Amino acid sequence: MSLFTKKSQFWLPVTIRRPADYGGVEEFKFDALVRFFKRTELTKLAGSYLEQAGALIVDWKGVSEDDGTPVPYTPDALARLDEEHPNAMADIVESYSRAWRGAREKN
């Protein structure tokens, strides 16, 4: 494996958390195909969590409606997720950051 690679994307496990009855927490898990960003690109990822998540995500799998119908990734689907789950974008961005921290901690 080369440290200097042209690989531009990787699959990232994401967990979205939301409040549940009696102080509980529900977790929803899916996989997001996200972009690798160079340091100079990362520093430009300012703005809202929705803008950051939109810059990161290329595709996803495992996102579905209540009836099990898959929801393909689109910017509109991401905006809907943001509207229905206010912390979802922060969870996505944190998953990306955690992946980089985890890679650093393994070395």
Side-chain angles (χ1 to χ4, degrees):
M1 172 173 55
S2 172
L3 186 58
F4 298 101
T5 180
K6 295 195 185 300
K7 183 176 180 181
S8 61
Q9 303 168 343
F10 65 98
W11 284 101
L12 175 71
V14 175
T15 301
I16 304 296
R17 294 169 184 83
R18 73 173 180 195
D21 291 336
Y22 304 106
V25 175
E26 290 181 314
E27 290 188 345
F28 301 89
K29 298 178 184 245
F30 66 95
D31 295 315
L33 183 61
V34 296
R35 293 177 176 90
F36 272 108
F37 280 96
K38 296 178 181 176
R39 179 179 302 278
T40 54
E41 295 168 325
L42 278 173
T43 59
K44 294 177 186 174
L45 279 181
S48 70
Y49 281 126
L50 176 58
E51 292 169 330
Q52 292 175 28
L56 291 171
I57 297 177
V58 175
D59 197 4
W60 62 27
K61 57 186 175 184
V63 177
S64 61
E65 300 285 356
D66 282 340
D67 65 2
T69 304
V71 176
Y73 175 76
T74 64
D76 288 340
L78 185 66
R80 179 179 166 207
L81 179 62
D82 181 49
E83 178 66 25
E84 294 185 17
H85 301 277
N87 288 325
M89 300 306 109
D91 287 340
I92 291 167
V93 172
E94 177 57 28
S95 293
Y96 187 83
S97 296
R98 194 178 311 116
W100 279 104
R101 284 194 309 270
R104 184 180 66 221
E105 290 168 2
K106 288 181 182 177
N107 290 327

